[in-house]
Amino acid sequence: MMLDGEKIKEELENRFNYLKDAVIIKRESRIFAQIPLEKFEEVFRYLVKQSRFDALSAITGLDSGNGFTVIYHLHREGKILVNLKVDLNKEKPAVNTVTSYFPGADNFERELIDLLGIAVNGLAAGNSYPLPDNWPKGEHPLRKDWKGRPSASSV
Amino acid sequence: MHNSGDVQIPIGPQHPALKEPESFLISLHGEKITAASVKLGYNHRGIEKACEERTYIQDLYLIERICGICSHSHSTCFAQTVEEIAGIEIPVRAKYIRTLIAELERIHSHLLWLGVAGHEIGFDTLLMYTWRDREIVMDLLAQLTGNRVNYGINTIGGVRRDIKPGQKEAVLNAMDALEERTKYYIELAQAETTLIKRLSGVGVLSRKDAQHLGAVGPTGRASGIERDVRKDDPYAAYAELDFKVITSDKCDVYGRTLVRVGELMESYSIVRQIMKKIPDGAITVKVPRKIPPGEAIGRYEAPRGEDLHYVRANGTEKPDRVKVRAPTLANIQAVSKMLEDRYLADMPIVVAAIDPCFSCTDRLVAIRDTQDKKHKHTMIWETLRLKGIEWHKERGIDFTLLNKKLADIFKK
């Protein structure tokens, strides 16, 4: 019998030929897939709308040194987690919002904006989160080159 | 978003309900809430950044301090994730001890919630009794781990303390005492019309909305979503233990109460099974200080729902990235939905019903009438709570008799 993880890997690879060798099963309930940025929407929509990965646990952003990576953690009935990774360039990192699929993604996307300086196209205007409203522009604490604010560290 | 004819009430950012202080902006039409929005971030402490600058073992202690109630949830979730990257299998006995502390933590958290819920609706005798009962499990945690709150039981590669001879009896006796009490609370929740009337139809979250907004834990399960990480994606010793996932299709605060008291009973049973099944052996394995490059995602069913940690290692003794998604962040979006079209008097119990962690600082509620900008008045949380209790009293839901009845029963 084919395991669920392998089924999903095969399903993704058959449907999207550019995902050949891009889907990795770390363990039975943990699948990672590297998606080209321009194809992200297509894969995401397929998983959410057609493959029953209809819940978003979180969105993780990280500074990988040469650029940024955003990881969308989707799950199916709580059991199996598919993690879609998108690489972004260092100069103008940007993703499109997924709030039309998951209104609950709002806070996760605001984290990307505040902490990493990744633009989220299409996200409705709102408060900053999690940094305060008076936080200086252009300071993004989770960037690797951010070493703290002098005023904050001298206190 | 807010109609200009309505009254807007900002509540927070300091607010006793929350692990992270937050700010609600409530629009009122008469006494009805027409819209509610939430602003978070007031308690952002930069823990994720701080983790990148510390070693894995230092991070474990830092992460344990994310929350004062589900401290073990975060530390276990982090330890599991790091162990997965390092390819380390911890001893079975250590898995059972982690699970034991996890369930005791759930018991203490749910009893705490039951008391807070009682307090918010004016059923203070319930608060007094559940918090007294909670001391049984707090004492037990102190006995087993040395601490009442941040237990410090975990280490990367296992646990730091073994169960000593004699402690097994203490655990089982405590479960017997707590089970008897909880049975009474369940009876109370099922039979007392005052309680049923007060909580039914309040803070409604349909199954569809719960799914859509990503509600987790008892909040999701009370809207009929049968989802529990312990069952769906088992960790620690849960795969070897027998328990039911408690759900309710009531979709309201009453349903959330039934789910939590039901989970208490399941936790007592899990603890008994652990004491019966726990194998002998080592409690820790050695883990190198440097964790090989890799990434992993840990999931854990905290008392409030799914806790998710993402860790990326770069081969050094410090992680490259640590991401924590605590359950309250997943549930907070649902609160706005639950408050819509409800009375202001129900706000305290609706907010409390997702079980956010209370930080006991400020309790200020500011009320602003948008039609009359000159008049501003503020209301402390306590006043809002009392107002809610009085509001319902005028409409026939009065807890005075039930408070007395409960007090008389336990006096005997």
Short mmCIF file of all heavy atoms in Angstrom, two decimals, chain B residues 342-381:
data_model
loop_
_atom_site.label_atom_id
_atom_site.label_comp_id
_atom_site.label_asym_id
_atom_site.label_seq_id
_atom_site.Cartn_x
_atom_site.Cartn_y
_atom_site.Cartn_z
N ARG B 342 -23.71 40.20 19.11
CA ARG B 342 -23.98 39.78 20.49
C ARG B 342 -24.06 41.01 21.38
O ARG B 342 -23.67 42.09 20.98
CB ARG B 342 -22.87 38.85 21.00
CG ARG B 342 -22.84 37.50 20.35
CD ARG B 342 -24.11 36.72 20.50
NE ARG B 342 -24.63 36.72 21.87
CZ ARG B 342 -25.77 36.14 22.23
NH1 ARG B 342 -26.51 35.53 21.34
NH2 ARG B 342 -26.16 36.17 23.49
N TYR B 343 -24.51 40.82 22.60
CA TYR B 343 -24.60 41.93 23.54
C TYR B 343 -23.25 42.19 24.20
O TYR B 343 -22.48 41.26 24.44
CB TYR B 343 -25.66 41.64 24.60
CG TYR B 343 -27.05 41.62 24.04
CD1 TYR B 343 -27.72 40.42 23.82
CD2 TYR B 343 -27.68 42.81 23.69
CE1 TYR B 343 -28.99 40.40 23.28
CE2 TYR B 343 -28.95 42.80 23.14
CZ TYR B 343 -29.60 41.59 22.93
OH TYR B 343 -30.84 41.58 22.38
N LEU B 344 -23.02 43.46 24.53
CA LEU B 344 -21.78 43.83 25.22
C LEU B 344 -21.62 43.04 26.52
O LEU B 344 -20.52 42.68 26.91
CB LEU B 344 -21.79 45.35 25.51
CG LEU B 344 -20.55 45.91 26.20
CD1 LEU B 344 -19.31 45.75 25.31
CD2 LEU B 344 -20.73 47.38 26.56
N ALA B 345 -22.77 42.76 27.17
CA ALA B 345 -22.74 42.02 28.44
C ALA B 345 -22.13 40.64 28.30
O ALA B 345 -21.70 40.04 29.28
CB ALA B 345 -24.17 41.92 29.00
N ASP B 346 -22.09 40.10 27.10
CA ASP B 346 -21.53 38.76 26.90
C ASP B 346 -20.06 38.77 26.54
O ASP B 346 -19.43 37.72 26.44
CB ASP B 346 -22.31 38.02 25.80
CG ASP B 346 -23.67 37.56 26.30
OD1 ASP B 346 -23.80 37.38 27.52
OD2 ASP B 346 -24.57 37.40 25.46
N MET B 347 -19.50 39.97 26.35
CA MET B 347 -18.12 40.02 25.89
C MET B 347 -17.13 39.33 26.84
O MET B 347 -16.29 38.56 26.37
CB MET B 347 -17.69 41.45 25.63
CG MET B 347 -16.35 41.44 24.95
SD MET B 347 -15.61 43.04 24.87
CE MET B 347 -13.93 42.56 24.58
N PRO B 348 -17.21 39.57 28.17
CA PRO B 348 -16.20 38.92 29.02
C PRO B 348 -16.17 37.41 28.87
O PRO B 348 -15.09 36.82 28.72
CB PRO B 348 -16.64 39.33 30.44
CG PRO B 348 -17.35 40.62 30.25
CD PRO B 348 -18.07 40.49 28.94
N ILE B 349 -17.33 36.77 28.85
CA ILE B 349 -17.32 35.30 28.78
C ILE B 349 -16.92 34.81 27.39
O ILE B 349 -16.25 33.79 27.26
CB ILE B 349 -18.67 34.69 29.26
CG1 ILE B 349 -18.60 33.16 29.34
CG2 ILE B 349 -19.84 35.09 28.37
CD1 ILE B 349 -17.62 32.62 30.34
N VAL B 350 -17.27 35.57 26.36
CA VAL B 350 -16.88 35.14 25.00
C VAL B 350 -15.36 35.19 24.84
O VAL B 350 -14.74 34.25 24.32
CB VAL B 350 -17.59 36.00 23.93
CG1 VAL B 350 -17.01 35.70 22.55
CG2 VAL B 350 -19.08 35.72 23.92
N VAL B 351 -14.75 36.28 25.31
CA VAL B 351 -13.29 36.39 25.22
C VAL B 351 -12.64 35.31 26.07
O VAL B 351 -11.71 34.62 25.65
CB VAL B 351 -12.81 37.80 25.63
CG1 VAL B 351 -11.29 37.85 25.67
CG2 VAL B 351 -13.34 38.84 24.65
N ALA B 352 -13.17 35.12 27.28
CA ALA B 352 -12.59 34.12 28.18
C ALA B 352 -12.74 32.71 27.62
O ALA B 352 -11.91 31.85 27.90
CB ALA B 352 -13.24 34.21 29.56
N ALA B 353 -13.77 32.49 26.82
CA ALA B 353 -14.06 31.12 26.37
C ALA B 353 -13.06 30.54 25.39
O ALA B 353 -13.01 29.34 25.21
CB ALA B 353 -15.46 31.04 25.77
N ILE B 354 -12.24 31.39 24.74
CA ILE B 354 -11.17 30.78 23.93
C ILE B 354 -9.98 30.47 24.82
O ILE B 354 -8.98 29.92 24.39
CB ILE B 354 -10.73 31.64 22.72
CG1 ILE B 354 -9.99 32.89 23.17
CG2 ILE B 354 -11.89 31.97 21.81
CD1 ILE B 354 -9.03 33.42 22.10
N ASP B 355 -10.09 30.86 26.10
CA ASP B 355 -9.04 30.61 27.09
C ASP B 355 -7.73 31.30 26.73
O ASP B 355 -6.69 30.65 26.64
CB ASP B 355 -8.83 29.09 27.25
CG ASP B 355 -8.07 28.76 28.53
OD1 ASP B 355 -7.84 29.68 29.33
OD2 ASP B 355 -7.72 27.59 28.72
N PRO B 356 -7.79 32.60 26.49
CA PRO B 356 -6.51 33.30 26.31
C PRO B 356 -5.86 33.41 27.69
O PRO B 356 -6.54 33.31 28.69
CB PRO B 356 -6.93 34.67 25.78
CG PRO B 356 -8.31 34.88 26.27
CD PRO B 356 -8.93 33.53 26.52
N CYS B 357 -4.56 33.56 27.73
CA CYS B 357 -3.91 33.66 29.04
C CYS B 357 -4.05 35.08 29.59
O CYS B 357 -3.75 36.04 28.91
CB CYS B 357 -2.44 33.30 28.93
SG CYS B 357 -2.19 31.63 28.36
N PHE B 358 -4.50 35.20 30.81
CA PHE B 358 -4.68 36.51 31.43
C PHE B 358 -3.36 37.07 31.93
O PHE B 358 -2.66 36.44 32.68
CB PHE B 358 -5.63 36.37 32.64
CG PHE B 358 -7.08 36.53 32.29
CD1 PHE B 358 -7.60 35.87 31.21
CD2 PHE B 358 -7.90 37.33 33.04
CE1 PHE B 358 -8.94 36.01 30.88
CE2 PHE B 358 -9.24 37.48 32.73
CZ PHE B 358 -9.76 36.82 31.65
N SER B 359 -3.02 38.28 31.53
CA SER B 359 -1.87 38.93 32.15
C SER B 359 -2.43 40.02 33.04
O SER B 359 -3.15 40.90 32.59
CB SER B 359 -0.94 39.51 31.09
OG SER B 359 -1.43 40.74 30.65
N CYS B 360 -2.12 39.90 34.32
CA CYS B 360 -2.89 40.68 35.29
C CYS B 360 -2.33 42.10 35.46
O CYS B 360 -1.84 42.44 36.53
CB CYS B 360 -2.92 39.97 36.61
SG CYS B 360 -3.46 38.29 36.42
N THR B 361 -2.39 42.91 34.44
CA THR B 361 -1.88 44.27 34.58
C THR B 361 -3.01 45.27 34.62
O THR B 361 -3.58 45.54 35.66
CB THR B 361 -0.89 44.58 33.45
OG1 THR B 361 -1.43 44.08 32.23
CG2 THR B 361 0.44 43.92 33.69
N ASP B 362 -3.33 45.83 33.49
CA ASP B 362 -4.35 46.86 33.44
C ASP B 362 -5.68 46.22 33.09
O ASP B 362 -5.75 45.23 32.42
CB ASP B 362 -3.94 47.87 32.35
CG ASP B 362 -4.71 49.16 32.48
OD1 ASP B 362 -5.68 49.21 33.25
OD2 ASP B 362 -4.35 50.12 31.80
N ARG B 363 -6.75 46.83 33.54
CA ARG B 363 -8.07 46.29 33.20
C ARG B 363 -8.97 47.39 32.66
O ARG B 363 -10.13 47.50 33.00
CB ARG B 363 -8.71 45.67 34.44
CG ARG B 363 -8.01 44.42 34.88
CD ARG B 363 -8.40 44.07 36.29
NE ARG B 363 -7.74 42.85 36.72
CZ ARG B 363 -6.50 42.82 37.13
NH1 ARG B 363 -5.79 43.91 37.19
NH2 ARG B 363 -5.97 41.68 37.51
N LEU B 364 -8.41 48.20 31.80
CA LEU B 364 -9.13 49.39 31.35
C LEU B 364 -9.94 49.13 30.09
O LEU B 364 -9.47 48.58 29.12
CB LEU B 364 -8.12 50.50 31.07
CG LEU B 364 -8.70 51.90 31.02
CD1 LEU B 364 -9.06 52.38 32.41
CD2 LEU B 364 -7.70 52.84 30.40
N VAL B 365 -11.17 49.56 30.14
CA VAL B 365 -12.02 49.51 28.96
C VAL B 365 -12.46 50.93 28.68
O VAL B 365 -13.09 51.56 29.53
CB VAL B 365 -13.26 48.63 29.21
CG1 VAL B 365 -14.15 48.61 27.98
CG2 VAL B 365 -12.86 47.23 29.59
N ALA B 366 -12.10 51.48 27.54
CA ALA B 366 -12.51 52.85 27.25
C ALA B 366 -13.72 52.82 26.33
O ALA B 366 -13.77 52.08 25.36
CB ALA B 366 -11.37 53.60 26.60
N ILE B 367 -14.71 53.64 26.66
CA ILE B 367 -15.91 53.70 25.84
C ILE B 367 -16.02 55.07 25.19
O ILE B 367 -15.88 56.09 25.86
CB ILE B 367 -17.17 53.43 26.69
CG1 ILE B 367 -17.07 52.03 27.30
CG2 ILE B 367 -18.43 53.56 25.85
CD1 ILE B 367 -18.27 51.62 28.07
N ARG B 368 -16.22 55.06 23.90
CA ARG B 368 -16.29 56.33 23.20
C ARG B 368 -17.57 56.37 22.38
O ARG B 368 -17.90 55.43 21.67
CB ARG B 368 -15.07 56.48 22.29
CG ARG B 368 -14.88 57.86 21.75
CD ARG B 368 -13.54 57.97 21.05
NE ARG B 368 -13.52 57.24 19.81
CZ ARG B 368 -12.55 56.43 19.45
NH1 ARG B 368 -11.52 56.23 20.20
NH2 ARG B 368 -12.59 55.83 18.28
N ASP B 369 -18.29 57.48 22.51
CA ASP B 369 -19.49 57.65 21.71
C ASP B 369 -19.11 58.46 20.49
O ASP B 369 -18.68 59.61 20.60
CB ASP B 369 -20.55 58.38 22.54
CG ASP B 369 -21.89 58.37 21.83
OD1 ASP B 369 -21.88 58.27 20.59
OD2 ASP B 369 -22.92 58.45 22.51
N THR B 370 -19.23 57.86 19.33
CA THR B 370 -18.76 58.56 18.13
C THR B 370 -19.68 59.71 17.75
O THR B 370 -19.29 60.60 17.00
CB THR B 370 -18.65 57.60 16.94
OG1 THR B 370 -19.84 56.83 16.89
CG2 THR B 370 -17.44 56.71 17.07
N GLN B 371 -20.91 59.69 18.26
CA GLN B 371 -21.82 60.79 17.94
C GLN B 371 -21.53 62.01 18.81
O GLN B 371 -21.85 63.13 18.47
CB GLN B 371 -23.28 60.35 18.14
CG GLN B 371 -23.73 59.40 17.06
CD GLN B 371 -25.04 58.74 17.43
OE1 GLN B 371 -25.19 58.16 18.51
NE2 GLN B 371 -25.99 58.82 16.53
N ASP B 372 -20.97 61.76 19.99
CA ASP B 372 -20.73 62.83 20.93
C ASP B 372 -19.27 62.74 21.35
O ASP B 372 -18.93 62.12 22.35
CB ASP B 372 -21.67 62.66 22.14
CG ASP B 372 -21.46 63.77 23.17
OD1 ASP B 372 -20.65 64.67 22.90
OD2 ASP B 372 -22.09 63.70 24.23
N LYS B 373 -18.40 63.38 20.57
CA LYS B 373 -16.96 63.20 20.78
C LYS B 373 -16.45 63.79 22.07
O LYS B 373 -15.38 63.46 22.54
CB LYS B 373 -16.19 63.78 19.58
CG LYS B 373 -16.42 62.97 18.30
CD LYS B 373 -15.12 62.78 17.54
CE LYS B 373 -15.20 61.67 16.52
NZ LYS B 373 -15.95 61.95 15.33
N LYS B 374 -17.23 64.71 22.67
CA LYS B 374 -16.76 65.39 23.89
C LYS B 374 -16.79 64.44 25.09
O LYS B 374 -15.99 64.54 25.99
CB LYS B 374 -17.64 66.61 24.20
CG LYS B 374 -17.21 67.83 23.40
CD LYS B 374 -18.09 69.01 23.74
CE LYS B 374 -17.89 70.11 22.71
NZ LYS B 374 -18.97 71.09 22.74
N HIS B 375 -17.77 63.57 25.10
CA HIS B 375 -17.92 62.70 26.27
C HIS B 375 -17.20 61.37 26.08
O HIS B 375 -17.56 60.59 25.23
CB HIS B 375 -19.40 62.45 26.57
CG HIS B 375 -20.09 63.66 27.09
ND1 HIS B 375 -20.85 64.47 26.28
CD2 HIS B 375 -20.09 64.24 28.31
CE1 HIS B 375 -21.31 65.49 26.99
NE2 HIS B 375 -20.85 65.37 28.22
N LYS B 376 -16.19 61.21 26.90
CA LYS B 376 -15.45 59.96 26.87
C LYS B 376 -15.55 59.39 28.27
O LYS B 376 -15.40 60.11 29.25
CB LYS B 376 -13.97 60.25 26.59
CG LYS B 376 -13.53 59.90 25.19
CD LYS B 376 -12.04 60.03 25.10
CE LYS B 376 -11.60 60.06 23.65
NZ LYS B 376 -10.17 60.28 23.51
N HIS B 377 -15.85 58.16 28.40
CA HIS B 377 -15.69 57.59 29.73
C HIS B 377 -15.03 56.22 29.64
O HIS B 377 -15.07 55.55 28.61
CB HIS B 377 -17.00 57.55 30.52
CG HIS B 377 -18.10 56.81 29.81
ND1 HIS B 377 -18.80 57.37 28.77
CD2 HIS B 377 -18.61 55.60 30.03
CE1 HIS B 377 -19.72 56.51 28.36
NE2 HIS B 377 -19.62 55.43 29.10
N THR B 378 -14.40 55.87 30.72
CA THR B 378 -13.69 54.60 30.72
C THR B 378 -14.36 53.64 31.70
O THR B 378 -15.05 54.05 32.61
CB THR B 378 -12.23 54.78 31.16
OG1 THR B 378 -12.22 55.45 32.40
CG2 THR B 378 -11.45 55.55 30.13
N MET B 379 -14.14 52.38 31.44
CA MET B 379 -14.77 51.36 32.26
C MET B 379 -13.69 50.33 32.53
O MET B 379 -12.98 49.93 31.61
CB MET B 379 -15.88 50.73 31.41
CG MET B 379 -16.92 49.96 32.16
SD MET B 379 -17.91 49.05 30.98
CE MET B 379 -19.40 49.97 31.00
N ILE B 380 -13.51 49.94 33.79
CA ILE B 380 -12.52 48.89 34.01
C ILE B 380 -13.18 47.54 33.73
O ILE B 380 -14.40 47.40 33.73
CB ILE B 380 -11.91 48.93 35.44
CG1 ILE B 380 -12.99 48.78 36.50
CG2 ILE B 380 -11.09 50.18 35.66
CD1 ILE B 380 -12.45 48.52 37.88
N TRP B 381 -12.34 46.56 33.42
CA TRP B 381 -12.84 45.23 33.07
C TRP B 381 -13.81 44.71 34.13
O TRP B 381 -14.86 44.15 33.82
CB TRP B 381 -11.66 44.27 32.89
CG TRP B 381 -12.06 42.89 32.49
CD1 TRP B 381 -12.27 41.83 33.30
CD2 TRP B 381 -12.34 42.43 31.16
NE1 TRP B 381 -12.64 40.73 32.57
CE2 TRP B 381 -12.69 41.07 31.26
CE3 TRP B 381 -12.31 43.04 29.90
CZ2 TRP B 381 -13.01 40.31 30.14
CZ3 TRP B 381 -12.64 42.27 28.80
CH2 TRP B 381 -12.98 40.93 28.92
#
